[in-house]
Amino acid sequence: MLLPRQFHFLFFLFFLILKLNAQDKEKVMPFKKIIIAIEEQHNVSFNYTEDNVAGLKINPPAKSLSLDEKLEYLEKKTNLSFENIGNKFINIYKKENPLPAICGYVFSSTDKKPIENANITLSNQNQLTTDSNGYFEFKKENTTTFLISHVGYTSKKITPANIDSKNCLQIVLEPKITELQEIKASAILASGISKNTDGSLEIKPKKFGILPGLIEPDALQTMQQIPGVNSLDESVSSINVRGGTHDQNLFLWNGIRMFQTGHFFGLISVFNPNLAHTISIYKNGSSAFYGESVSSVVAISSTPETSEKNSYSAGINMINADVYGKYNLSKKSYIEISARKSITDFLETPTYKEYFDKVFQNTTITDFSQTQNVDYRSDKKFGFYDATLKYAQKIGNKDQIVLDLITIKDNLEVFQSATAYTIIRSENNVLRQQNYGGNLSWKRNWNPYNTTKVNIYNSSYELLANQKNTYENQLVIQENTVDNNGFNLENNHVINSKFSFNDGYQYNEMGITNLELVQNPDFYRKAKDVLRTHALILEGKYNDTLSITYFKVGTRINYIEKFKKFIVEPRIQFNHGISKSLSLELLGELKSQNSQQIIDLQKDYFGIEKRRWIISDNSTIPIQRSKQLSLNLFYKKNDWLLDIENFYKKVTGITTSSQGFQNQLEFVKTTGDYEIWGAEMLVQKKMNHFLTWLSYTYNHNNYHFPNYEFPVFPNNFELMHSVSWAGIYEKNNFKIALGTKWTSGRPKTSPDISQIDLNNPVLVYNKPNSNNLHVFSQVNISSTYKWETENGIQYKLGISILNILNRKNEISEHYRVSTITNSIEEVETFALQRTPNMSFRVSF
């Protein structure tokens, strides 16, 4: 009986142990499942490498244990150690290698949140990414340094040799705040022309398509296609923006103020069209960093936004030839050179002939009373050139130094003779116009939020006329020089992705000299004036791309040393998107100007370039001041574009000498103002490869001279109605553009014939600008074709014709009494006749 009972006991004991063992086996769980349960219960996150926990199974700790007790339990049951970081993150290591890895967490500096999928690039080029907690880990021996990067953040380089691997790194990345290109619409008027949210128009010559009559992206010719911008005499040296004179515009080339803007006395821009990278044009609402102008701003930059490869090109047209070269000296420096020269020294093309006839017309003068001709003959020698040099050097990752140099020169030699009533007169004349300048700039990016720009510049201008009259044995020398020096400081501060502000200081010194020397009779006069100004600038900007709202407000505080005078100039730019297709824009500004161009006598400088620069004396030559406000409605949808802008502008402190009067006010010295209001409209449609647009401008522009007999009358530069149309076709490398321009005639003053004694004529005029010239109408065409060879050499051929219909357009008319014929003469000036041009360019 004993054996069976012992057997029963042993049998019971065996099954009890088996059952307990089975229960233990039922409690064994994968380690990963255990830590997931702990994560859910205690709201923590475990970080580990897969190799450390793969295949590991243990009994889970009791749920009633605290987090630390559970970690202690797991450490005893495994060959692992646990690092608790703030009861939020828990790192897992193997015990036999307590310092096996470099680990870390990557956070954003703005909201302190983890950055997921940040790239960790090791020195051996291996890569890993952070998890949803911003965590990463790798073996220390795998790298000596590593780089952390993520889209939208500034990359950070880490050297782990100095890192204590017991503690995970806490790495903070700074957002890389890059201002969005504030472009409202691209391809306005032509490809390569865009409108920005600050109201400016931006031209990218290297992306420029084509416009009627233009085969090269000439900055000053192109801007005349913009509604509200005209040149009444077809000259880039006489651009009128909303009724202003040319000298009221500020022209900047790489920060250098240019006092000469035209070759061939205004028919060609001095700015090499194959050089500029960005051209910004402001009709209103310009930045407070732009001073010394009461009309528009044209800022030309030849500094590329991104690094470019070596490039070279050469071209020729029927007026000039040019070369261009850009060579990278290293990864951080390059040199850029351009040069252009007229080909008139050895070739007279049809284009050159038409240009010369335009500049030196009035060789036949109509006698007002007897219709008698005066025979005129001349021998002319003319040439021009311009050259630029740029050197750019990056120093480290934060600094860049750029040196810009430019030189421009036009030279004319004329021998002329005239015979009238057997009287022979001859003259030997030399006219020289030149402008050269330099700018040295330094830019430093202190960090992603703060940038400083400093530049020192000089611009020197000279206009010299030397006239020898053999009939009267007389020598006349006239000279006008400008020396402009300055220093600019600009700081840019980014608060966040929406807010930023700029501040700065500007110092400007301008000296202007006017010289007149006459022999027989002897006369000498030389006057030099110098004006020094200081300016403090502050601007704030808000740009919310989600609500489509852009707001920029600034002020410029000028102090003029000589007059001990402060002038405050506020500026405003506001743009709000009513919808994705419709936006409203408000621009406003107050500006001032201390220098201007005047005409003493119409025959000064041979009557070709008769304007001379002078400085305000705050009395008889006041400081010019302007105020302008414009409201714009902009619509773009389904390749349709509608741009309507209403504006008001008033400029005070103008003188009669600065307005180019050739009537009864020619010798009247008085001051006043002009007031203009109007509307500008552009309608544009793009259809596949075809672009067409129609623009219309209306303006009402009056002078107000309170001390004159007729205080209010139309402005000399009023074009009440202007209409332009263009049709442009671009496909692959072929481009063609046809367009027309129509304007109402500019104001003129006619003589009152009823009060003139024709036997002893003295000019008696009707009310100033009481009549108008005939309408101006012109049709232009241009076309280009580009092709490239297998070895990467590009060729471009261009052809254009101005005034296809050869219409004779009168652009000015005035009257004078001839001392030779003792009669009143009507002097008419006409626009270019039919003018062809052709260009050829090679680039590689």
Side-chain angles (χ1 to χ4, degrees):
M1 296 293 295
L2 181 60
L3 290 174
R5 289 179 179 176
Q6 291 176 339
F7 176 78
H8 289 161
F9 174 77
L10 293 173
F11 186 80
F12 173 79
L13 185 64
F14 172 77
F15 274 98
L16 179 63
I17 293 171
L18 200 65
K19 185 177 180 181
L20 291 173
N21 185 57
Q23 287 178 349
D24 284 342
K25 285 187 176 180
E26 287 177 0
K27 286 185 178 180
V28 171
M29 296 174 59
F31 182 81
K32 290 177 68 174
K33 192 172 181 180
I34 294 172
I35 62 176
I36 289 173
I38 296 174
E39 284 180 335
E40 292 176 352
Q41 182 182 356
H42 295 281
N43 194 25
V44 295
S45 178
F46 285 87
N47 297 301
Y48 54 87
T49 58
E50 191 66 29
D51 294 338
N52 290 344
V53 299
L56 182 61
K57 295 180 180 181
I58 61 170
N59 291 326
K63 288 187 176 181
S64 59
L65 297 178
S66 67
L67 176 63
D68 289 335
E69 289 172 337
K70 288 177 181 176
L71 295 178
E72 185 178 355
Y73 170 84
L74 293 176
E75 192 166 355
K76 289 179 180 178
K77 294 292 183 180
T78 65
N79 196 28
L80 301 174
S81 62
F82 298 82
E83 180 187 9
N84 187 352
I85 302 176
N87 287 330
K88 190 173 183 180
F89 301 107
I90 300 173
N91 300 322
I92 303 175
Y93 307 100
K94 281 189 175 180
K95 284 183 179 178
E96 63 266 23
N97 185 19
L99 304 176
I102 298 296
C103 64
Y105 294 90
V106 182
F107 300 96
S108 170
S109 67
T110 54
D111 53 15
K112 309 304 179 185
K113 291 183 179 179
I115 299 177
E116 186 179 3
N117 293 324
N119 295 310
I120 314 297
T121 305
L122 309 181
S123 57
N124 59 8
Q125 300 306 310
N126 290 335
Q127 285 192 340
L128 61 148
T129 58
T130 57
D131 61 17
S132 59
N133 299 310
Y135 177 80
F136 67 90
E137 178 182 309
F138 60 86
K139 291 183 179 180
K140 185 175 180 180
E141 60 268 19
N142 282 350
T143 187
T144 55
T145 61
F146 63 94
L147 182 71
I148 303 178
S149 61
H150 192 279
V151 175
Y153 292 87
T154 301
S155 300
K156 182 174 285 189
K157 195 173 186 180
I158 307 294
T159 304
N162 302 323
I163 295 172
D164 180 6
S165 300
K166 292 182 180 180
N167 299 312
C168 286
L169 298 169
Q170 304 287 317
I171 300 170
V172 177
L173 294 186
E174 302 287 346
K176 180 188 281 185
I177 299 179
T178 303
E179 288 196 28
L180 297 175
Q181 283 188 327
E182 296 161 351
I183 296 177
K184 185 194 295 187
S186 57
I188 290 186
L189 302 175
S191 55
I193 304 177
S194 58
K195 184 170 184 178
N196 297 331
T197 52
D198 63 359
S200 67
L201 281 159
E202 188 174 88
I203 303 172
K204 297 281 189 181
K206 292 190 175 182
K207 298 179 181 179
F208 181 75
I210 194 170
L211 282 169
L214 296 182
I215 48 179
E216 295 178 320
D218 186 298
L220 305 188
Q221 294 284 3
T222 301
M223 72 177 289
Q224 294 178 46
Q225 306 284 338
I226 299 170
V229 182
N230 289 289
S231 176
L232 274 65
D233 61 359
E234 292 187 311
S235 168
V236 296
S237 294
S238 184
I239 293 177
N240 316 113
V241 180
R242 291 179 175 171
T245 54
H246 183 78
D247 60 300
Q248 292 174 347
N249 303 313
L250 176 64
F251 296 94
L252 295 172
W253 184 84
N254 288 322
I256 306 166
R257 183 179 179 185
M258 304 304 296
F259 297 90
Q260 178 184 350
T261 58
H263 283 311
F264 224 131
F265 305 105
L267 291 179
I268 304 168
S269 169
V270 298
F271 306 113
N272 191 326
N274 302 294
L275 181 65
H277 290 270
T278 305
I279 302 162
S280 300
I281 301 170
Y282 298 84
K283 292 190 289 185
N284 185 19
S286 58
S287 166
F289 283 90
Y290 295 124
E292 193 56 28
S293 75
V294 291
S295 196
S296 74
V297 175
V298 180
I300 301 173
S301 170
S302 65
T303 303
E305 296 173 353
T306 57
S307 59
E308 298 178 347
K309 61 182 181 180
N310 296 340
S311 60
Y312 310 93
S313 65
I316 188 170
N317 58 35
M318 298 176 76
I319 293 295
N320 58 260
D322 75 280
V323 293
Y324 166 82
K326 177 183 178 293
Y327 179 71
N328 292 314
L329 301 172
S330 66
K331 291 182 178 180
K332 293 189 175 183
S333 64
Y334 69 88
I335 188 169
E336 185 178 62
I337 300 174
S338 75
R340 181 171 54 158
K341 190 181 186 310
S342 58
I343 61 174
T344 56
D345 294 342
F346 56 89
L347 182 64
E348 290 193 7
T349 64
T351 310
Y352 172 76
K353 183 180 181 302
E354 290 298 332
Y355 279 18
F356 239 118
D357 289 345
K358 164 71 170 60
V359 174
F360 299 99
Q361 57 187 304
N362 300 325
T363 56
T364 300
I365 301 173
T366 303
D367 187 289
F368 186 76
S369 59
Q370 301 178 9
T371 317
Q372 184 173 5
N373 292 333
V374 177
D375 183 30
Y376 176 90
R377 297 180 182 179
S378 66
D379 181 23
K380 311 175 187 73
K381 182 180 179 182
F382 173 74
F384 67 81
Y385 70 81
D386 59 68
T388 66
L389 169 68
K390 177 188 289 290
Y391 172 74
Q393 174 72 59
K394 286 186 177 180
I395 304 173
N397 296 321
K398 294 187 175 183
D399 298 274
Q400 183 181 34
I401 293 176
V402 179
L403 173 67
D404 286 292
L405 300 173
I406 185 170
T407 180
I408 299 163
K409 185 175 182 180
D410 285 62
N411 195 73
L412 170 69
E413 296 179 12
V414 180
F415 175 79
Q416 53 188 355
S417 64
T419 303
Y421 300 106
T422 70
I423 300 175
I424 301 175
R425 298 172 181 269
S426 64
E427 292 180 348
N428 193 11
N429 307 312
V430 175
L431 181 62
R432 182 175 71 234
Q433 188 179 26
Q434 59 185 2
N435 198 160
Y436 55 90
N439 181 56
L440 179 63
S441 64
W442 167 65
K443 180 180 178 181
R444 179 172 178 82
N445 297 316
W446 301 98
N447 51 51
Y449 305 98
N450 299 282
T451 303
T452 296
K453 301 175 187 175
V454 177
N455 68 292
I456 303 170
Y457 63 89
N458 169 264
S459 181
S460 297
Y461 167 81
E462 180 193 39
L463 177 63
L464 174 68
N466 188 321
Q467 183 180 48
K468 295 179 181 179
N469 188 317
T470 57
Y471 177 75
E472 297 174 349
N473 192 26
Q474 187 181 64
L475 172 67
V476 178
I477 296 176
Q478 294 178 305
E479 186 181 35
N480 177 224
T481 62
V482 180
D483 194 26
N484 184 217
N485 306 291
F487 167 83
N488 295 337
L489 169 66
E490 179 180 349
N491 297 304
N492 310 114
H493 313 280
V494 178
I495 308 301
N496 53 42
S497 60
K498 295 181 181 179
F499 291 96
S500 64
F501 73 93
N502 309 319
D503 59 83
Y505 165 78
Q506 294 179 354
Y507 169 78
N508 182 271
E509 178 186 82
M510 182 179 293
I512 296 181
T513 303
N514 280 286
L515 168 69
E516 289 182 271
L517 185 151
V518 180
Q519 291 180 357
N520 192 25
D522 292 342
F523 175 80
Y524 179 83
R525 180 177 65 185
K526 183 178 182 180
K528 181 175 182 178
D529 296 295
V530 178
L531 207 61
R532 298 178 181 90
T533 60
H534 306 263
L536 293 176
I537 299 109
L538 182 64
E539 288 182 331
K541 182 172 73 173
Y542 172 81
N543 186 18
D544 188 350
T545 55
L546 294 178
S547 64
I548 324 178
T549 300
Y550 176 94
F551 180 63
K552 184 176 182 180
V553 63
T555 187
R556 179 186 181 91
I557 304 173
N558 298 304
Y559 176 70
I560 307 171
E561 284 187 7
K562 188 174 182 179
F563 310 136
K564 296 183 175 153
K565 185 171 185 174
F566 286 95
I567 298 177
V568 179
E569 302 176 3
R571 317 282 173 89
I572 184 172
Q573 303 165 2
F574 174 76
N575 190 295
H576 177 66
I578 300 171
S579 67
K580 290 184 178 180
S581 305
L582 185 65
S583 65
L584 185 70
E585 177 186 84
L586 177 69
L587 302 174
E589 63 183 18
L590 296 183
K591 297 202 292 187
S592 65
Q593 183 172 334
N594 300 309
S595 60
Q596 59 181 282
Q597 283 184 307
I598 65 166
I599 299 173
D600 281 339
L601 298 172
Q602 288 292 332
K603 65 179 182 179
D604 283 351
Y605 301 96
F606 316 141
I608 300 171
E609 178 52 83
K610 48 203 171 188
R611 298 166 298 178
R612 66 175 78 198
W613 286 96
I614 61 168
I615 285 181
S616 169
D617 61 9
N618 203 29
S619 178
T620 57
I621 307 172
I623 298 171
Q624 296 183 84
R625 303 182 68 171
S626 70
K627 56 183 177 182
Q628 186 175 183
L629 189 68
S630 61
L631 184 65
N632 174 272
L633 196 65
F634 189 90
Y635 175 82
K636 186 181 181 184
K637 189 175 183 180
N638 298 330
D639 291 325
W640 278 98
L641 186 149
L642 175 64
D643 191 355
I644 301 175
E645 187 164 6
N646 298 293
F647 67 90
Y648 169 81
K649 176 181 174 183
K650 184 175 183 179
V651 177
T652 61
I654 66 170
T655 64
T656 48
S657 300
S658 67
Q659 300 300 300
F661 285 107
Q662 290 183 277
N663 52 20
Q664 61 265 55
L665 282 95
E666 182 175 350
F667 303 106
V668 174
K669 306 295 183 185
T670 188
T671 62
D673 61 67
Y674 69 83
E675 189 175 35
I676 177 172
W677 55 270
E680 299 160 358
M681 182 183 72
L682 173 67
V683 182
Q684 179 177 293
K685 173 64 175 174
K686 191 176 188 305
M687 298 169 286
N688 296 323
H689 302 288
F690 184 72
L691 176 73
T692 184
W693 52 263
L694 176 71
S695 70
Y696 169 73
T697 302
Y698 169 82
N699 68 70
H700 183 78
N701 191 353
N702 278 338
Y703 286 123
H704 181 229
F705 291 106
N707 298 324
Y708 182 61
E709 177 185 4
F710 304 104
V712 179
F713 56 90
N715 192 303
N716 290 340
F717 304 100
E718 180 188 66
L719 290 179
M720 189 165 285
H721 305 280
S722 298
V723 181
S724 294
W725 170 84
I728 302 169
Y729 179 80
E730 297 184 25
K731 187 175 182 181
N732 299 327
N733 294 321
F734 175 74
K735 302 173 185 178
I736 187 169
L738 176 69
T740 183
K741 185 174 185 179
W742 180 95
T743 65
S744 54
R746 66 183 296 187
K748 73 169 185 177
T749 306
S750 58
D752 187 348
I753 302 176
S754 64
Q755 298 188 40
I756 295 177
D757 181 1
L758 298 181
N759 295 319
N760 187 22
V762 175
L763 277 171
V764 179
Y765 288 98
N766 291 308
K767 185 179 177 181
N769 294 344
S770 54
N771 295 313
N772 291 82
L773 298 176
H774 296 296
V775 299
F776 178 100
S777 178
Q778 191 178 80
V779 180
N780 306 314
I781 191 171
S782 57
S783 179
T784 63
Y785 179 71
K786 183 170 64 175
W787 69 97
E788 185 173 344
T789 62
E790 293 181 356
N791 54 6
I793 300 177
Q794 290 186 350
Y795 299 92
K796 183 179 179 182
L797 179 67
I799 258 182
S800 70
I801 303 176
L802 293 173
N803 196 6
I804 300 173
L805 304 179
N806 204 29
R807 178 181 168 88
K808 195 172 184 179
N809 290 302
E810 187 182 4
I811 55 177
S812 75
E813 179 180 304
H814 67 276
Y815 302 86
R816 65 189 179 194
V817 177
S818 171
T819 57
I820 298 177
T821 61
N822 194 33
S823 62
I824 294 178
E825 299 170 343
E826 180 184 16
V827 182
E828 298 173 308
T829 304
F830 295 95
L832 284 168
Q833 298 289 94
R834 184 185 296 119
T835 306
N837 198 2
M838 181 181 293
S839 68
F840 179 71
R841 187 159 204 86
V842 181
S843 305
F844 55 94

